[in-house]
Amino acid sequence: MEMIDIFKEKPFYTKPNLDDMGFSWYQIKKLIEDGILEKLNSHVYESKVYEDVVNDFNYVSVFIPDGVICKLSAANYYGYTNFMPRNINVAVPYDKKINNLPDYPPIKLCYPKGNRYSSNIVEINTELDHFKIYSKEKTVCDILINKNKIDAEEIKNVLTGYLNDSDRDLNKLYKLAVELKCEKTLRTYMEVLL
């Protein structure tokens, strides 16, 4: 197996990954010069020879480790809407300062306070995907909390998508809506849809 073939296996490599593979700083620098790797930040390198499609959400965890995919980006991931915003919606802790965002993919930050940030975070860890996203119920609540900034048709699509999801948990949704103070809005929409 040629050295280049090793980097066709996955899209991202950390410095410890490369150390475990036996690469020295000099060899890593050479891989960058040869266009096999690109240094994204001080911890993560991207394979430029990886042949599969990379989910843009993975870049969020590289550049914003505390970032959580939210709002319409999360709704799209769950299949509740076909609308994909131009920017990936990412929640970060209210007091967190983020300086180095990538040019691509475009990321739009929001800064929810307290449990609006910290509740119902799900970690997606598959062979190729590693990112944080809000639970399905939290995603629906976020859409309702931001109803004045989201098209009414998209809100309807998200709620209809959630209601048609065989994995939905209406009790959890209502409990979370009470906790996040959007229960009245949820009830109004549910009366129309049910």
Side-chain angles (χ1 to χ4, degrees):
M1 178 184 282
E2 282 188 49
M3 185 178 359
I4 196 169
D5 290 337
I6 295 169
F7 295 102
K8 290 181 179 178
E9 295 176 10
K10 63 181 194 172
F12 300 104
Y13 296 84
T14 63
K15 177 65 172 85
N17 293 149
L18 296 171
D19 289 342
D20 291 345
M21 294 166 72
F23 290 100
S24 67
W25 274 110
Y26 172 78
Q27 290 169 317
I28 294 170
K29 186 177 177 187
K30 181 82 171 111
L31 289 167
I32 294 169
E33 288 171 3
D34 292 345
I36 295 170
L37 292 180
E38 178 181 347
K39 186 174 183 176
L40 296 181
N41 61 29
S42 60
H43 307 291
V44 181
Y45 299 83
E46 180 178 13
S47 170
K48 300 314 282 180
V49 295
Y50 179 69
E51 296 175 338
D52 209 346
V53 176
V54 178
N55 184 338
D56 288 348
F57 292 171
N58 288 305
Y59 290 96
V60 172
S61 62
V62 170
F63 289 97
I64 314 165
D66 293 333
V68 183
I69 309 300
C70 64
K71 299 180 185 173
L72 286 172
S73 296
N76 180 275
Y77 176 80
Y78 290 125
Y80 297 161
T81 179
N82 292 326
F83 177 77
M84 184 62 182
R86 286 182 300 184
N87 302 309
I88 298 174
N89 303 124
V90 179
V92 294
Y94 183 73
D95 58 353
K96 188 86 169 184
K97 186 170 182 166
I98 306 295
N99 292 324
N100 298 326
L101 289 177
D103 293 332
Y104 183 86
I107 294 172
K108 183 175 183 182
L109 300 176
C110 61
Y111 296 88
K113 293 181 181 178
N115 67 341
R116 284 211 172 157
Y117 165 76
S118 61
S119 73
N120 288 273
I121 296 173
V122 175
E123 293 202 27
I124 304 297
N125 281 312
T126 66
E127 189 173 314
L128 297 177
D129 289 327
H130 304 282
F131 56 87
K132 296 175 188 168
I133 189 168
Y134 284 123
S135 70
K136 295 174 178 184
E137 290 75 20
K138 175 73 162 47
T139 297
V140 171
C141 288
D142 278 350
I143 297 298
L144 296 175
I145 289 167
N146 292 281
K147 70 182 186 307
N148 294 333
K149 299 174 186 173
I150 298 173
D151 183 73
E153 189 66 27
E154 286 309 319
I155 296 171
K156 179 184 166 206
N157 290 343
V158 170
L159 286 167
T160 302
Y162 178 79
L163 291 172
N164 291 331
D165 188 339
S166 61
D167 194 33
R168 73 182 182 273
D169 184 339
L170 291 174
N171 289 330
K172 182 177 178 183
L173 177 63
Y174 276 104
K175 183 179 176 187
L176 190 58
V178 169
E179 181 183 325
L180 297 175
K181 298 177 176 49
C182 64
E183 177 192 13
K184 184 177 177 184
T185 305
L186 176 63
R187 287 191 186 281
T188 301
Y189 276 96
M190 288 301 205
E191 286 170 8
V192 171
L193 293 173
L194 294 177

